[in-house]
Amino acid sequence: MSSPAADIVRLLTVRGETVAVAESLTGGMVAAEITSVPGASKAFRGSVTAYATALKHELLGVDPDLLAARGAVDPQVAAQMAAGVRKALGADWGIATTGVAGPDPQDGQPVGTVFVAVDGPFGPDSGSAGGGKVEPLRLNGDRAEIRMESVRSVLALLLRELAREQTRNERAQDTERNGGF
């Protein structure tokens, strides 16, 4: 059985598309998971581990007023991280993780509060505001378990969006072949 990372690399390679990763609480684990797949270099552009809040603005273009008002653990921050890494590294898709792995709360958020995000070449009927999708997570477990589940969740989110794009493209091709019906 293939892993989500292997499925992502395969789908992106077939489509000639790429992904970039912005990570905070996962500290490079998402990039490590993707690059563990043979052939990942065809689809993986690179990653930015912006652990320090200031780097989220400096390297990924996250709005400094948003960071000041809400802190780094916020759905809009996750969305801006994904969009920022996509732009900064010139990828078709950007994914991001931000959250609290513990042991202490951060920015007024309890341990286990995580936001994962994807930004990509969404079609006009994708239903995503501003091009990105964010998924809030409330995770249980110790620091290691929260970080691993965050990796799994952001890869699953990207895989769902890739499958959704595939389905949308196939529907559009069917419509074209059938004269618009």
Side-chain angles (χ1 to χ4, degrees):
M1 189 172 122
S2 65
S3 70
D7 291 341
I8 287 166
V9 168
R10 180 183 51 74
L11 277 171
L12 289 173
T13 300
V14 164
R15 293 159 61 150
E17 294 178 348
T18 57
V19 65
V21 179
E23 300 186 65
S24 187
L25 83 150
T26 48
M29 293 168 62
V30 177
E33 188 72 16
I34 294 170
T35 58
S36 72
V37 177
S41 62
K42 292 182 183 89
F44 183 72
R45 292 281 299 158
S47 66
V48 173
T49 301
Y51 212 65
T53 299
L55 292 179
K56 290 173 180 63
H57 166 65
E58 294 164 15
L59 298 177
L60 299 170
V62 176
D63 181 349
D65 295 333
L66 174 65
L67 289 167
R70 302 227 191 113
V73 183
D74 180 83
Q76 281 185 270
V77 170
Q80 289 185 19
M81 286 173 65
V85 79
R86 179 182 174 212
K87 181 179 178 190
L89 300 187
D92 298 294
W93 296 87
I95 58 175
T97 63
T98 188
V100 188
D104 302 313
Q106 179 189 335
D107 298 330
Q109 298 282 359
V111 172
T113 302
V114 176
F115 297 96
V116 295
V118 61
D119 188 78
F122 300 106
D125 62 343
S126 65
S128 62
K133 295 205 180 201
V134 180
E135 191 170 276
L137 307 172
R138 294 276 181 242
L139 304 176
N140 297 311
D142 64 20
R143 182 175 169 79
E145 291 166 327
I146 290 169
R147 293 174 78 216
M148 280 306 302
E149 184 58 24
S150 298
V151 171
R152 191 201 65 72
S153 294
V154 77
L155 293 176
L157 178 61
L158 176 57
L159 205 49
R160 282 195 305 276
E161 290 308 313
L162 288 170
R164 193 170 286 142
E165 280 297 300
Q166 193 77 24
T167 302
R168 218 182 340 272
N169 291 340
E170 287 167 3
R171 273 200 311 264
Q173 289 169 356
D174 284 346
T175 302
E176 286 173 24
R177 275 195 294 271
N178 295 318
F181 297 106

